[in-house]
């Protein structure tokens, strides 16, 4: 299992204290002050405040441009007046050292000692939960993710949904939500009619066991090569039989499904990912038919050339097909039934479909039909789309050309690279522990290689880049973490209950300031459904640390104890951050 700590902690139990993260607490406090001088509501003041581009300009700034419009004065003048009157206050909050106007901004400088101590306490009073908030308290989110199609190998397309879905579920959990992860298998549809045709014609069920997926894929390709009207109609007939519950045909289908799930589970084990529910389209064929009937009766859907369709052209969503002319169900109708069922079962507040962007229209149609059926909760559903993986050459990878990369191959290639790198670094043979570590590094490479890209963008996939121990990669981040752990071991560091509090130098303070951003990043990544924010933060943090570490001597310096504390803080925040995107750290590398 990937690190459980953060996932299993209910924010309510352990995090009452952190209803507001520290930065927010300070912002609220400052808003109260500022509101005495302006007509803006406190909330607006707090949300307008931001971090200046450099710490030389203070820790937080309030822009006066909106006020300038209201008061019809220049922002510069307002900032100056406000800074002066705030500076004169007898009861300035302790955390504020200095208030200064710079251009149209009022800049606040924190007391660095107090701020650093507070951040230290927040990181370690609740280790593993630093960064967690309660914004989603009492809410339930269903996250549909992965959802590969059976009888095919687990390819790179579904890898994205799996990795991003997992990250989202962790991020939502860290925001106080109860999460339900559903894997919705593509296990129903006309393609299985073709497959059964192929199996019956050329196949041998006893051979299925050896290498089921490849065997099935070959048969499917063979059927497609043969395709003519007769094959087509025979295949359709097989699918119709499936829908009618034919025992013999269904028993074949069941075998295909079981073998496929076994294969998929190997991938999920490698990635350390599990689900709360594995369901599939097959569960919704019947209920899908009923919904289509209902839509017909209510005049929402209509017949056209024997099919049942719903015209969404006027909303710019084209025409949705709900039932084929041969009476069999279709993807869209099954999704309608699945959505209704999940709402009933889980009473979710939100439901996310983590699916490729090529299905955008499908989901628009789905949400729109639910609306027409009177399900006002359709607003709680979102399609969280991701882009494609492209080849190194920037070209599309498609299954039909046979150039699709299989997850098994990706894993093997990456894992081999990682183990050969580890072999270079140590003289002894790799033992079980090393191999376990290699597995974690491989995961980190694959997961970070994905999540570090904004999900809607296409990714040029280059395994040699993502596995590198240097640069913008998962293995680099693990290395940075492990190096800190090794430094702390060498210093025989033990985390003090009461930290050493001294005035930080600029370099040290930059690091503390970076730590303090983490809780807000967690909140934002949830609001924007964007795990890449966390990946980016992890890398920025590591860079800041690197810059600190190359410039600040630790061992033997008169600030050794203080700097060791900073290293300890860094590794803890980095660990939490990586954990949120599904990457587990290693203690040695
Ligand atoms: N199995 C589908 C595919 O690979 C993805 C399923 C997406 N989820 C959904 N509820 N339609 O294309």
């Amino acid at each position: 299992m990937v690190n459980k700590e953060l996932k299993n902690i209910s924010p309510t139990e352990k995090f009452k204290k952190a209803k507001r993260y520290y930065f927010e607490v300070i912002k609220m406090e400052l808003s109260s002050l500022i509101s005495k001088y302006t007509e803006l509501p406190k909330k607006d003041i707090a949300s307008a405040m931001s971090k200046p581009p450099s710490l030389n300009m203070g820790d937080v700034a309030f822009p006066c441009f909106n006020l300038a419009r209201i008061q019809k004065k220049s922002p510069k003048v307002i900032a100056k007046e406000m800074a002066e009157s705030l500076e004169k206050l007898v009861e300035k909050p302790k955390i504020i050292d200095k208030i200064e106007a710079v251009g149209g901004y009022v800049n606040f400088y924190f007391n660095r000692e107090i701020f650093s101590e507070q951040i230290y306490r927040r990181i370690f009073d609740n280790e593993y939960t630093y960064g967690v908030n309660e914004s989603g308290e009492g809410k339930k989110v269903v996250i549909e993710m992965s959802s590969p199609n059976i009888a095919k190998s687990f390819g790179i397309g579904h890898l994205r949904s799996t990795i991003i879905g997992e990250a989202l579920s962790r991020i939502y959990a860290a925001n106080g939500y109860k999460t339900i992860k559903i894997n919705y298998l593509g296990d129903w549809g006309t393609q299985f009619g073709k497959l059964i045709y192929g199996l019956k014609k050329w196949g041998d069920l006893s051979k299925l066991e050896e290498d089921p997926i490849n065997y099935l894929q070959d048969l499917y390709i063979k059927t497609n090569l043969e395709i003519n009207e007769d094959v087509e109609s025979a295949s359709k007939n097989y699918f119709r039989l499936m829908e009618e519950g034919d025992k013999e045909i269904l028993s074949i289908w069941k075998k295909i499904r079981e073998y496929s799930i076994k294969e998929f589970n190997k991938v999920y084990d490698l990635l350390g990912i599990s689900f709360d529910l594995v369901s599939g389209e097959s569960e919704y064929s019947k209920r899908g038919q009923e919904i289509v009937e209902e839509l017909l009766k209510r005049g929402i859907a209509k017949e056209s050339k024997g099919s049942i369709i719903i015209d969404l052209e006027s909303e710019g969503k084209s025409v949705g097909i709900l039932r084929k002319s041969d009476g069999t169900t279709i993807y869209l109708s099954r999704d309608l039934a699945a959505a209704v069922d999940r709402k009933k079962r889980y009473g979710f507040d939100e439901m996310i479909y983590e699916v490729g962007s090529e299905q955008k229209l499908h989901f628009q149609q789905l949400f729109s039909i639910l609306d027409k059926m009177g399900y006002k909760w359709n607003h709680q559903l979102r399609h969280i789309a991701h882009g494609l993986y492209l080849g190194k050459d920037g070209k599309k990878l498609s299954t039909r050309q046979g150039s699709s990369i299989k997850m098994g191959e990706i894993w093997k290639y990456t894992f081999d690279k990682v183990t050969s790198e580890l072999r270079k670094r140590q003289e002894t043979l790799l033992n079980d522990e090393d191999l376990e570590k290699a597995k974690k590094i491989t995961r980190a490479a694959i997961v970070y290689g994905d999540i570090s890209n904004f999900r809607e963008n296409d990714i040029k996939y280059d395994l040699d880049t993502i596995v590198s121990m240097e640069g913008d990669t998962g293995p680099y981040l693990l290395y940075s973490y492990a190096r800190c752990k090794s430094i702390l071991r060498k210093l025989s560091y033990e985390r003090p209950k009461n930290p050493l509090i001294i005035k930080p130098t600029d370099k040290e303070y930059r690091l503390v300031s970076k730590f303090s951003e983490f809780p807000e990043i967690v909140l934002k990544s949830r609001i924007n459904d964007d795990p890449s924010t966390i990946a980016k933060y992890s890398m920025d943090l590591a860079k800041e640390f690197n810059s600190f570490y190359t410039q600040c001597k630790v061992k033997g310096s008169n600030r050794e104890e203080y700097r060791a504390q900073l290293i300890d803080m860094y590794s803890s925040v980095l660990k939490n951050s990586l954990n949120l995107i599904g990457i587990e750290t290693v203690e040695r590398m």
Side-chain angles (χ1 to χ4, degrees):
M1 265 320 292
V2 183
N3 212 336
K4 276 188 192 164
E5 292 98 323
L6 209 141
K7 264 188 5 188
N8 291 350
I9 283 170
S10 150
T12 5
E13 286 161 31
K14 290 228 169 182
F15 229 67
K16 277 267 164 7
K17 277 185 254 167
K19 252 208 166 82
R20 297 230 156 75
Y21 48 88
Y22 192 43
F23 224 86
E24 208 185 355
V25 172
I26 300 176
K27 277 195 209 170
M28 301 291 282
E29 221 170 313
L30 293 178
S31 315
S32 302
L33 279 188
I34 295 174
S35 70
K36 296 195 179 119
Y37 296 86
T38 71
E39 40 284 274
L40 294 177
K42 271 187 221 169
K43 235 179 77 224
D44 293 357
I45 298 173
S47 62
M49 284 197 266
S50 62
K51 215 171 160 168
S54 135
L55 283 176
N56 299 334
M57 299 162 80
D59 292 273
V60 62
F62 174 70
C64 298
F65 305 95
N66 269 345
L67 273 181
R69 248 168 275 140
I70 300 170
Q71 298 183 358
K72 308 218 172 355
K73 275 200 259 180
S74 94
K76 233 173 155 173
V77 172
I78 298 178
K80 191 160 176 282
E81 286 172 3
M82 193 188 292
E84 274 167 12
S85 30
L86 288 176
E87 193 44 274
K88 273 190 215 120
L89 283 180
V90 201
E91 267 186 78
K92 249 190 313 186
K94 268 209 286 236
I95 184 73
I96 301 300
D97 258 0
K98 188 170 80 173
I99 305 170
E100 216 175 60
V102 179
Y105 291 87
V106 178
N107 292 2
F108 299 87
Y109 295 75
F110 293 169
N111 177 304
R112 296 183 169 187
E113 265 168 85
I114 298 180
F115 190 71
S116 305
E117 181 189 354
Q118 282 296 325
I119 295 299
Y120 181 94
R121 295 206 183 277
R122 277 157 202 264
I123 292 174
F124 292 125
D125 279 358
N126 301 283
E127 196 176 9
Y128 300 120
T129 58
Y130 178 61
V132 173
N133 69 69
E134 293 189 324
S135 59
E137 209 41 55
K139 284 196 213 160
K140 245 190 224 172
V141 60
V142 166
I143 299 174
E144 197 219 85
M145 56 185 272
S146 199
S147 311
N149 301 320
I150 65 166
K152 281 193 189 165
S153 43
F154 193 102
I156 206 161
H158 294 100
L159 179 60
R160 285 215 82 178
S161 171
T162 311
I163 291 176
I164 299 171
E166 176 67 17
L168 285 173
S169 92
R170 287 167 181 243
I171 291 167
Y172 271 80
N175 278 274
Y177 280 74
K178 167 150 182 40
T179 61
I180 298 142
K181 293 191 278 179
I182 299 183
N183 187 358
Y184 181 66
L185 300 174
D187 62 357
W188 206 249
T190 36
Q191 68 272 32
F192 298 105
K194 277 192 190 164
L195 195 58
I196 287 170
Y197 174 91
L199 255 175
K200 288 231 162 211
K201 178 130 192 222
W202 303 287
D204 178 353
L205 275 182
S206 63
K207 273 205 195 133
L208 199 55
E209 210 158 334
E210 276 166 41
D211 183 9
I213 302 298
N214 282 324
Y215 189 65
L216 290 169
Q217 284 195 154
D218 289 347
L219 281 176
Y220 187 70
I221 292 171
K222 210 164 168 183
T223 311
N224 268 326
L225 287 174
E226 282 266 301
I227 204 88
N228 58 33
E229 251 172 53
D230 291 344
V231 178
E232 194 86 58
S233 99
S235 303
K236 269 191 187 159
N237 199 42
Y238 281 128
F239 180 54
R240 208 177 38 75
L241 286 173
M242 278 169 64
E243 291 231 289
E244 284 167 4
D246 184 281
K247 283 221 172 78
E248 194 239 347
I249 302 297
L250 278 184
S251 79
I252 301 176
W253 166 82
K254 249 192 205 133
K255 270 213 177 93
I256 299 176
R257 190 178 192 270
E258 273 162 25
Y259 283 128
S260 306
I261 291 178
K262 234 192 205 162
E263 284 298 307
F264 296 159
N265 282 344
K266 286 185 198 159
V267 173
Y268 298 135
D269 276 352
L270 290 176
L271 292 171
I273 285 174
S274 60
F275 304 96
D276 297 300
L277 177 73
V278 177
S279 96
E281 291 181 42
S282 58
E283 281 171 46
Y284 297 105
S285 106
K286 225 178 168 175
R287 198 44 211 123
Q289 289 284 31
E290 288 163 20
I291 288 185
V292 176
E293 287 300 330
E294 182 191 331
L295 289 170
L296 255 180
K297 238 186 248 150
R298 290 171 57 184
I300 300 171
K302 63 181 182 197
E303 215 180 309
S304 164
K305 292 180 202 144
S307 307
I308 308 297
I309 62 158
I310 181 161
D311 189 352
L312 302 167
E313 207 79 72
S314 62
E315 303 169 24
K317 292 171 196 159
S318 185
V319 173
I321 303 175
L322 292 164
R323 191 161 79 196
K324 290 199 179 171
S325 54
D326 64 2
T328 53
T329 58
I330 221 160
Y331 190 48
L332 183 56
S333 46
R334 294 192 283 274
D335 252 330
L336 284 168
V340 174
D341 177 52
R342 289 175 192 167
K343 182 66 185 179
K344 214 187 287 160
R345 238 201 257 198
Y346 298 110
F348 54 72
D349 299 279
E350 289 170 48
M351 173 151 70
I352 289 171
Y353 295 89
E354 199 337 282
V355 183
S357 51
E358 68 282 358
Q359 296 197 24
K360 196 167 164 201
L361 180 65
H362 167 77
F363 285 105
Q364 286 177 345
Q365 292 181 336
L366 174 65
F367 303 159
S368 169
I369 300 169
L370 287 169
D371 183 43
K372 291 191 196 313
M373 291 172 78
Y375 293 124
K376 292 302 160 207
W377 46 263
N378 76 327
H379 295 293
Q380 299 173 336
L381 314 188
R382 288 198 299 287
H383 173 207
I384 297 299
H386 60 252
L388 296 170
Y389 277 119
L390 305 174
K392 261 192 238 180
D393 53 3
K395 290 208 184 111
K396 223 171 142 174
L397 301 163
S398 98
T399 353
R400 242 166 269 139
Q401 289 150 10
S403 58
S404 154
I405 309 182
K406 293 176 191 159
M407 178 56 200
E409 292 163 5
I410 295 178
W411 182 273
K412 187 168 181 320
Y413 188 87
T414 318
F415 186 76
D416 287 349
K417 282 238 158 194
V418 169
T419 44
S420 78
E421 186 67 32
L422 290 182
R423 249 179 237 120
K424 268 191 243 160
R425 290 167 184 231
Q426 69 183 51
E427 277 150 26
T428 49
L429 285 177
L430 300 185
N431 58 25
D432 285 353
E433 208 179 300
D434 296 324
L435 291 176
E436 206 38 52
K437 183 163 70 183
K439 227 165 134 176
K440 289 183 186 168
I441 301 172
T442 306
R443 267 183 206 161
I446 294 173
V447 170
Y448 187 84
D450 186 317
I451 300 279
S452 54
N453 299 277
F454 177 56
R455 61 179 162 72
E456 284 180 42
N457 295 344
D458 293 340
I459 305 180
K460 263 196 209 159
Y461 210 55
D462 182 354
L463 291 176
D464 294 321
T465 312
I466 63 167
V467 76
S468 162
M469 299 278 167
E470 280 151 37
D472 189 13
T473 70
Y476 169 73
L477 291 172
L478 291 196
Y479 171 69
S480 174
Y481 176 86
R483 184 172 67 157
C484 286
K485 288 287 158 173
S486 141
I487 297 167
L488 293 177
R489 277 193 301 270
K490 280 190 199 130
L491 293 173
S492 306
Y493 168 84
E494 265 178 59
R495 182 176 305 153
K497 226 201 198 101
N498 289 307
L500 174 68
I501 316 283
I502 51 177
K503 192 168 172 7
T505 64
D506 278 355
K507 235 16 229 167
E508 292 162 349
Y509 188 64
R510 279 175 65 106
L511 201 50
V512 174
S513 177
K514 200 80 206 158
F515 302 153
S516 75
E517 289 171 17
F518 181 54
E520 190 165 1
I521 295 284
V522 177
L523 183 66
K524 277 191 185 154
S525 68
R526 195 270 295 164
I527 290 172
N528 301 323
D529 287 316
D530 181 9
S532 76
T533 327
I534 302 219
K536 189 173 170 304
Y537 172 79
S538 309
M539 189 51 72
D540 286 349
L541 181 65
K543 279 188 191 150
E544 194 64 61
F545 178 77
N546 208 29
S547 141
F548 157 82
Y549 194 66
T550 45
Q551 288 174 45
C552 301
K553 185 171 171 207
V554 181
K555 199 171 166 65
S557 99
N558 58 4
R559 301 178 79 80
E560 176 179 313
E561 192 185 337
Y562 187 69
R563 289 182 173 165
Q565 269 173 205
L566 288 174
I567 297 175
D568 189 19
M569 288 160 90
Y570 164 69
S571 30
S572 179
V573 178
L574 181 65
K575 180 178 183 156
N576 278 3
S577 183
L578 290 175
N579 197 314
L580 281 184
I581 46 178
I583 295 177
E584 192 183 351
T585 45
V586 296
E587 299 298 301
R588 288 161 207 268
M589 214 163 133

